[in-house]
Amino acid sequence: MNKQLCYCNKCKGSVCSKRTFRRHMLKELNEQNDLSIRRKKNVTNQIKNDHFDIYSNLTPEPTFTSYNDDVTPTSHNRKVRSIPLIPILQETGILDNTDNNFIIPANINEARIDNMTINEKSYSDDEIVSEYEIDEHYTINTNISTNIHHNPLILNTNETTRWAMLWVYLFQDTFVLPQTASATLLDFLKDLLESFNNTTFSDFPSTIYRADRLLGVEHEYRNYIVCPHCHHLHLPDILNGNVQPIKCNKCNEIITKMVRTSKGNHLIKPIKVYPYYSIIQQLELLLSKPEMENLLESCFKREIDDDIFADVYEGRVWKTFTDTNGQPFFVKNVLEIHIGFALNLDWFSPCKHIQYSVGVIYLTILNLPRHIRFREENTFVIGIIPGPHEPDVNEIHQYIEPLVDELLQLWAGQVIKSPNYPIGRIYRAALIMIVCDTPAARKIGGFSSHSSKRGCYRCDHSFSTIQDSNTGYWKPDFSNFNANLPQRSKEKHQSIAYKFKNSSSTIRNQIFTEHGIRWTPLIKLPYIDIQRFIVIDPMHNLYLGTAKRIMKKWTSGEQPLISVHDLKKIQSIIDATPPPSDIGRIPHKIASQFAGFSADQWKSWCLIYSTLTLRDILPEEHRQYWQSFVDCLLLWGQTIITREEIEYGDFAIKDFLAKIMVLFIAFGAFLSKDLMASMPNSGRNFATEVMNIINRQSLLHHTMSIGKSIFSDKVIKSFMKLQSFQHENKGTMAKYNFTIQEALYFKRLPFQISQMNIRDYESIPGKLLSPTCELTMEKPLVDCLVGYYKRVYADLEYQFYSGSQQQDRHAIFVSPSIIRASALQIADEHFGSQLCRSDLASNVMVAFLDDENNFQYWPANIRYFFKHSIVLPYVGITEHVLAMVDWYGKHIKIDHFNVSRRGSSRILDGVTQNGMRHVELWKPPIIKRVSSENIIPVQRIVCRFIKSDYCLQNTRTNLVAVIPLNRRFSV
């Protein structure tokens, strides 16, 4: 059909041809532009004469003007406009109480209002510029978008249509289905519903396109036109009314193409587009959720010890970041909400078997609790950089320009309405974290490559070069790297970046060679400190970098330390040592020299299998430095870490470097380079398709949020059931109503048994998992439970009895009734038992005191979990969560897998895993008659472990290698 609904002032929703529709839209756009010009000319007189409500009467203006890379830190002309007092602005000190002056940029939108035309300027090849011009003086934007009040058309349909459509969208989002699957399902539902009532469901959408229109997908983002040659961005309005090919304003290359429709018509289409989704617009959608404001402010209520680091809030940047007045920025403010953003840029291939790469720029809100911070609905996808290849370092900055423009506005302030503040509230935001892999971080940060002489983005040092003996090429020599090198300063970096931007290409090359700095639009942010804000990338530096290089060194050469036969032996041990299902993928490519390992596989290899399998293969001198490297990974890989553990990890990595450089002098340069950055402190437009999917997900959650009041309980229940498959609130103990102090107390609980007696009724951030059943214990087991309670409450001198054997009228009755469960969930971890289908998660390390009151760990295998209640004097009914276990037997060579360290390195013995070894040797579980010692409180469980069958050389005794796993706590 060549028909389309038109909502102009003339048609008012009637059907017309697409050609007429485009003509009407163009006419209405020109009329709006003329009206905007007249309003801008008369706005000063109107404000002086009429004291109107600024929140409802100001006409929203376009957010983006045009961007110009040639902006310098000099001041721009500004107009001072007088407006009446606004209470919310006056109380925050934005308005001066004396003259009520409010600063508004003079030319903020002049370029776009002038009939939406673009200034065609000619630039020399020495300039890296874009056609857009930014006024760097931003003030609080009181123009409130109406998008938050926009109800999608889907909410105006009948309940069955709403239910079916939203369920299909949520089903696709949950199980990551292709578009064709959802379209087929919609087509089937249309036929099914029409069979019941053809009249009611005649308008039910049978295609994704029609469903997207009801949801409002196509109106939420802007498609910038990209030059395929120089990546120059153009506003989409240049297509209006053009029937001839359009050329780039910068390089004069053609940026559009003529396409023929299925009806035989010809249209002008851009060759490449850059879909950009406004931050402010996404923030408005997010704030439409009633609970979101409280979640954004939850980080300001956080109280934690200074020596504990559990999230970004404990870092120096969050604590020391200040506003323009030098006051702490991330603090609770009644009139404003301050938000911290983390920026990520990465590339991926949208299709298999195609050499095509698109980039994704997205922001995460650091204010949100960790368990919901990285959900799709809470992540802002800003732009999709078109492929098929990554733009180079001098082109990528053009894609960052629109983002910087909005960040500048959010730094000044943006008024946004929310359910709790219907008249609007000021939101300010700052970009304080850049989380990318090393090449992407160097690109958007304006630094030279990590393999250059200026390879360290934090040090103001130029390294010397050496000649590679294998290739003959010259490369930087990082062997003389040390922690005392001079650091780059924020002021010097910004000065050099602006100098680079305003220089010719020849001077730019000289500046870049000398300083390793180039221009990036992020420099425009007045608060930016790129050296501090770029976050370390441990995945690439430690696992895909250092670990990979070491294994390559061990397995290569004429006489490798690890032969092909050794690799096959390692593979057989790993295959016989399966981990719990939530640990991750097992490496299956050891025998092929670790080919194609992912970061998760390298992590599993380093932390779980390497110490076990290399024991009888590597010489002791090589196992020594590898053990120090694993120490560092275990310490720095925790979700909650103390300052002391950070220092131990730093000592471990330095010990590793010192030892490996003695053995592999030539290899030290490569290792130092990687570890240096790891120290703390086809004709299809894939970009638009990806943005459509992301935009659909955002609008889906927005629609479901604002439509809760009209959904029936049955509909809401079906949505909740489907969403339960999507996410399980993983990542934190906060979902169990634990405060940070309670969570940290629980984490330390097993290690404090020498100072306190664990009664096993202490709260746990978890629950027994279904299925559970109520059972009556047999008398021998009840007697064991009585003995357990006597031991636990010995210091209180309580007496216990079971059955009819009461000895004292104050004795406490122990009921034989229990609730038994096969599994227990504590925070992010699943603890299984022998009752589960797989017992891989049933092995745990338990903390206890020996007869001499010394703290020890002992491995155990859990038979089952159970909950039991007793009535304590002055307390009442008390629930105890317990586990029935079988104990492993202690072996005399428990330290068989660990290397004896010498000198100062001995300080690392016992600092990881809270004193446990990387791998320990034990005897298999001893099955004997159950006693009270087989009952343990779950609060004494230190961690899970992986077991592997093992035999000492020249013996036939079956033993067990115990590999403790790090606990996963988040607060």
Side-chain angles (χ1 to χ4, degrees):
M1 285 183 63
N2 195 25
K3 300 290 185 180
Q4 187 164 345
L5 294 175
C6 182
Y7 294 94
C8 69
N9 294 330
K10 180 179 179 181
C11 297
K12 298 181 179 178
S14 61
V15 178
C16 65
S17 67
K18 290 187 177 180
R19 180 179 178 182
T20 304
F21 169 77
R22 289 194 295 270
R23 188 173 68 251
H24 288 182
M25 290 298 100
L26 182 61
K27 180 181 178 181
E28 188 169 339
L29 182 62
N30 290 331
E31 290 176 352
Q32 292 176 358
N33 290 336
D34 294 339
L35 179 62
S36 297
I37 294 173
R38 291 196 300 269
R39 287 183 176 177
K40 284 184 71 68
K41 291 180 178 178
N42 300 323
V43 67
T44 305
N45 295 331
Q46 183 181 356
I47 293 176
K48 289 182 177 179
N49 298 330
D50 300 318
H51 285 238
F52 55 85
D53 184 0
I54 193 169
Y55 295 109
S56 59
N57 291 344
L58 279 182
T59 302
E61 294 179 340
T63 303
F64 298 112
T65 60
S66 27
Y67 308 137
N68 184 355
D69 263 353
D70 286 341
V71 177
T72 59
T74 59
S75 60
H76 290 252
N77 295 327
R78 294 177 292 173
K79 291 182 182 178
V80 179
R81 299 179 182 176
S82 177
I83 65 173
L85 285 178
I86 305 171
I88 191 172
L89 301 181
Q90 183 181 8
E91 293 177 14
T92 54
I94 302 301
L95 291 180
D96 192 329
N97 290 330
T98 57
D99 55 11
N100 303 335
N101 284 336
F102 187 61
I103 307 302
I104 300 178
N107 300 318
I108 183 123
N109 283 318
E110 301 283 3
R112 287 205 56 204
I113 292 177
D114 187 13
N115 293 325
M116 307 299 291
T117 58
I118 297 180
N119 241 345
E120 294 192 6
K121 301 179 181 179
S122 59
Y123 300 109
S124 64
D125 292 337
D126 292 334
E127 296 175 318
I128 301 178
V129 295
S130 110
E131 75 219 60
Y132 310 119
E133 217 174 286
I134 294 182
D135 192 322
E136 292 188 346
H137 296 279
Y138 286 78
T139 56
I140 295 178
N141 185 6
T142 56
N143 293 330
I144 303 176
S145 172
T146 58
N147 287 331
I148 193 171
H149 304 296
H150 168 67
N151 291 329
L153 296 177
I154 190 175
L155 296 180
N156 300 327
T157 60
N158 61 73
E159 182 178 14
T160 305
T161 300
R162 288 196 303 266
W163 185 6
M165 277 191 56
L166 293 176
W167 192 92
V168 169
Y169 274 126
L170 191 60
F171 184 75
Q172 179 191 19
D173 185 35
T174 301
F175 297 104
V176 197
L177 299 179
Q179 297 277 60
T180 53
S182 300
T184 304
L185 184 57
L186 283 173
D187 190 43
F188 165 74
L189 288 175
K190 180 178 177 64
D191 294 340
L192 179 65
L193 293 173
E194 284 184 340
S195 67
F196 295 121
N197 193 323
N198 187 31
T199 304
T200 304
F201 300 108
S202 60
D203 294 332
F204 187 89
S206 59
T207 63
I208 288 292
Y209 173 75
R210 293 183 177 180
D212 283 351
R213 292 201 58 170
L214 284 179
L215 195 62
V217 171
E218 71 275 13
H219 301 298
E220 300 299 328
Y221 61 88
R222 167 177 289 181
N223 279 325
Y224 287 99
I225 301 173
V226 181
C227 175
H229 178 69
C230 66
H231 293 262
H232 189 52
L233 297 187
H234 303 76
L235 291 170
D237 309 291
I238 62 174
L239 293 178
N240 295 342
N242 277 299
V243 293
Q244 298 297 326
I246 302 174
K247 295 184 177 181
C248 175
N249 292 333
K250 180 181 177 183
C251 66
N252 211 33
E253 289 286 328
I254 295 178
I255 61 175
T256 60
K257 61 183 177 180
M258 184 75 71
V259 296
R260 184 177 180 180
T261 66
S262 60
K263 302 296 182 180
N265 300 323
H266 290 82
L267 297 176
I268 292 291
K269 293 283 186 180
I271 298 176
K272 278 187 178 184
V273 295
Y274 171 51
Y276 181 84
Y277 199 169
S278 166
I279 309 174
I280 297 174
Q281 193 171 343
Q282 294 188 70
L283 193 58
E284 289 170 347
L285 288 176
L286 186 70
L287 290 169
S288 65
K289 301 177 183 179
E291 75 284 358
M292 190 52 61
E293 277 189 304
N294 293 332
L295 290 173
L296 289 175
E297 293 184 303
S298 61
C299 60
F300 304 132
K301 307 172 185 177
R302 190 179 178 94
E303 295 181 4
I304 195 169
D305 295 341
D306 291 337
D307 291 335
I308 296 177
F309 302 88
D311 209 332
V312 64
Y313 317 123
E314 284 75 61
R316 292 176 184 169
V317 172
W318 185 275
K319 288 183 176 181
T320 61
F321 191 80
T322 58
D323 59 18
T324 54
N325 298 320
Q327 299 300 316
F329 185 75
F330 294 111
V331 294
K332 186 173 177 59
N333 190 318
V334 177
L335 300 175
E336 301 179 2
I337 290 184
H338 294 172
I339 297 175
F341 282 127
L343 172 66
N344 190 289
L345 170 63
D346 204 354
W347 275 265
F348 71 97
S349 177
C351 296
K352 295 181 179 179
H353 314 299
I354 296 179
Q355 295 295 327
Y356 196 100
S357 180
V358 297
V360 181
I361 304 173
Y362 62 90
L363 296 174
T364 52
I365 302 177
L366 300 176
N367 299 55
L368 294 177
R370 184 182 292 179
H371 66 288
I372 63 173
R373 183 182 303 162
F374 301 102
R375 289 185 188 171
E376 292 178 358
E377 62 266 31
N378 298 330
T379 301
F380 292 174
V381 178
I382 305 303
I384 308 295
I385 301 176
H389 308 294
E390 299 180 18
D392 64 27
V393 292
N394 293 320
E395 298 166 345
I396 194 172
H397 72 280
Q398 301 188 71
Y399 296 99
I400 309 295
E401 287 279 10
L403 168 66
V404 173
D405 188 20
E406 282 202 285
L407 288 173
L408 286 168
Q409 181 58 67
L410 285 169
W411 177 246
Q414 173 73 35
V415 177
I416 300 177
K417 290 184 180 181
S418 65
N420 296 334
Y421 290 83
I423 66 170
R425 191 178 185 187
I426 297 176
Y427 284 79
R428 300 183 191 274
L431 175 66
I432 64 168
M433 187 181 292
I434 301 172
V435 189
C436 309
D437 59 20
T438 301
R442 297 297 198 273
K443 281 186 177 182
I444 65 175
F447 295 102
S448 59
S449 168
H450 60 286
S451 58
S452 67
K453 292 193 297 182
R454 286 279 188 169
C456 180
Y457 69 93
R458 302 202 64 169
C459 299
D460 191 9
H461 179 74
S462 181
F463 294 91
S464 59
T465 56
I466 57 174
Q467 191 173 19
D468 193 309
S469 57
N470 297 324
T471 63
Y473 293 111
W474 290 87
K475 61 184 181 181
D477 179 15
F478 296 105
S479 59
N480 62 341
F481 173 79
N482 63 77
N484 298 320
L485 293 176
Q487 301 292 300
R488 298 180 189 255
S489 68
K490 171 184 173 181
E491 294 75 16
K492 182 179 179 181
H493 180 91
Q494 291 180 345
S495 174
I496 296 173
Y498 274 109
K499 182 179 179 181
F500 177 94
K501 184 157 101 56
N502 298 322
S503 301
S504 64
S505 58
T506 304
I507 302 300
R508 285 179 177 180
N509 291 334
Q510 296 176 0
I511 294 174
F512 184 72
T513 303
E514 181 180 356
H515 302 284
I517 295 173
R518 61 169 60 90
W519 169 254
T520 172
L522 295 177
I523 294 293
K524 295 179 182 178
L525 300 174
Y527 53 81
I528 198 72
D529 190 349
I530 296 183
Q531 296 91 290
R532 295 182 66 199
F533 292 177
I534 291 181
V535 178
I536 303 160
D537 177 24
M539 182 183 77
H540 288 85
N541 280 298
L542 296 177
Y543 295 114
L544 296 177
T546 304
K548 184 177 181 179
R549 291 178 186 275
I550 292 178
M551 295 309 303
K552 184 178 180 181
K553 186 67 179 179
W554 285 345
T555 57
S556 60
E558 296 181 357
Q559 295 182 341
L561 292 173
I562 302 177
S563 64
V564 176
H565 174 73
D566 293 332
L567 290 174
K568 293 180 179 179
K569 181 180 177 181
I570 291 173
Q571 185 71 66
S572 63
I573 295 175
I574 291 178
D575 292 341
T577 313
S581 59
D582 60 337
I583 292 301
R585 294 173 290 176
I586 304 174
H588 289 297
K589 304 174 184 177
I590 300 289
S592 59
Q593 297 187 348
F594 301 83
F597 260 34
S598 66
D600 281 339
Q601 289 174 332
W602 279 113
K603 183 177 180 181
S604 297
W605 159 251
C606 295
L607 300 183
I608 299 176
Y609 300 110
S610 63
T611 305
L612 169 68
T613 57
L614 297 176
R615 168 62 177 80
D616 301 322
I617 295 176
L618 275 185
E620 182 174 329
E621 57 184 0
H622 292 277
R623 288 196 298 123
Q624 279 190 353
Y625 65 75
W626 180 255
Q627 185 165 301
S628 296
F629 180 65
V630 176
D631 281 338
C632 176
L633 297 181
L634 286 169
L635 287 166
W636 285 356
Q638 301 177 94
T639 51
I640 300 178
I641 187 171
T642 64
R643 190 180 301 275
E644 184 182 37
E645 288 170 331
I646 293 175
E647 294 172 354
Y648 278 131
D650 184 63
F651 185 87
I653 202 69
K654 289 177 180 177
D655 184 68
F656 160 73
L657 280 174
K659 290 177 179 176
I660 197 171
M661 290 181 69
V662 171
L663 296 173
F664 300 117
I665 297 178
F667 187 61
F670 292 92
L671 266 277
S672 297
K673 177 191 68 176
D674 282 336
L675 295 172
M676 171 181 59
S678 302
M679 299 298 176
N681 197 311
S682 79
R684 291 176 59 186
N685 199 327
F686 288 111
T688 306
E689 291 182 25
V690 173
M691 182 57 85
N692 273 333
I693 295 172
I694 294 167
N695 187 26
R696 186 181 299 118
Q697 293 170 343
S698 175
L699 288 175
L700 170 64
H701 293 285
H702 169 67
T703 303
M704 294 179 64
S705 177
I706 65 176
K708 284 182 179 179
S709 58
I710 62 174
F711 293 149
S712 64
D713 294 339
K714 186 177 182 180
V715 174
I716 294 176
K717 186 176 180 180
S718 70
F719 289 156
M720 293 178 62
K721 185 184 298 184
L722 192 57
Q723 284 179 309
S724 66
F725 293 96
Q726 190 175 30
H727 48 69
E728 302 175 0
N729 286 329
K730 291 184 177 182
T732 182
M733 294 193 280
K735 75 166 188 171
Y736 300 103
N737 296 322
F738 263 52
T739 65
I740 296 176
Q741 289 75 18
E742 291 171 335
L744 294 174
Y745 170 78
F746 178 82
K747 182 179 184 292
R748 300 166 178 166
L749 196 58
F751 315 108
Q752 296 179 343
I753 56 178
S754 59
Q755 291 85 28
M756 60 177 296
N757 192 7
I758 298 178
R759 310 290 187 187
D760 68 41
Y761 58 72
E762 293 83 2
S763 298
I764 62 173
K767 59 183 178 180
L768 296 176
L769 299 180
S770 300
T772 60
C773 60
E774 188 171 349
L775 299 176
T776 300
M777 300 177 70
E778 298 178 355
K779 188 178 183 304
L781 294 179
V782 178
D783 292 340
C784 294
L785 194 55
V786 171
Y788 167 78
Y789 282 131
K790 288 181 178 179
R791 186 175 75 250
V792 171
Y793 291 97
D795 57 330
L796 299 179
E797 299 182 353
Y798 287 160
Q799 297 296 320
F800 297 89
Y801 75 97
S802 62
S804 58
Q805 303 174 354
Q806 183 175 3
Q807 300 174 354
D808 190 310
R809 65 187 183 91
H810 297 294
I812 300 171
F813 174 67
V814 178
S815 170
S817 178
I818 63 170
I819 297 176
R820 191 182 70 178
S822 60
L824 172 71
Q825 182 83 24
I826 297 182
D828 272 358
E829 291 182 290
H830 177 90
F831 294 84
S833 69
Q834 297 176 10
L835 300 180
C836 297
R837 293 180 181 178
S838 172
D839 64 349
L840 296 178
S842 63
N843 297 298
V844 295
M845 298 295 287
V846 182
F848 76 102
L849 297 177
D850 60 15
D851 296 336
E852 299 178 357
N853 211 36
N854 295 320
F855 184 84
Q856 288 192 10
Y857 301 99
W858 207 281
N861 183 257
I862 298 174
R863 293 189 181 184
Y864 57 85
F865 297 96
F866 66 96
K867 184 186 295 184
H868 186 265
S869 300
I870 58 176
V871 181
L872 294 177
Y874 310 109
V875 178
I877 299 177
T878 307
E879 288 186 343
H880 299 71
V881 182
L882 307 165
M884 187 71 71
V885 303
D886 293 321
W887 297 102
Y888 284 74
K890 192 168 186 178
H891 192 270
I892 189 173
K893 292 188 176 181
I894 190 174
D895 292 328
H896 175 71
F897 294 94
N898 294 278
V899 183
S900 299
R901 298 189 239 210
R902 305 176 182 86
S904 60
S905 300
R906 296 181 62 182
I907 193 176
L908 294 171
D909 292 335
V911 300
T912 60
Q913 300 280 33
N914 295 298
M916 284 181 286
R917 303 158 185 87
H918 295 167
V919 183
E920 298 180 352
L921 194 62
W922 291 79
K923 297 178 181 178
I926 303 173
I927 308 300
K928 59 181 181 180
R929 184 177 179 181
V930 176
S931 67
S932 61
E933 294 181 351
N934 293 88
I935 300 175
I936 64 166
V938 298
Q939 290 85 348
R940 287 200 180 191
I941 294 177
V942 178
C943 65
R944 298 177 298 173
F945 69 83
I946 298 174
K947 66 175 184 177
S948 178
D949 296 333
Y950 188 83
C951 288
L952 292 171
Q953 292 182 355
N954 303 324
T955 65
R956 295 184 178 180
T957 305
N958 292 326
L959 301 175
V960 176
V962 171
I963 310 169
L965 300 174
N966 259 347
R967 290 298 294 269
R968 294 202 300 272
F969 284 116
S970 302
V971 294

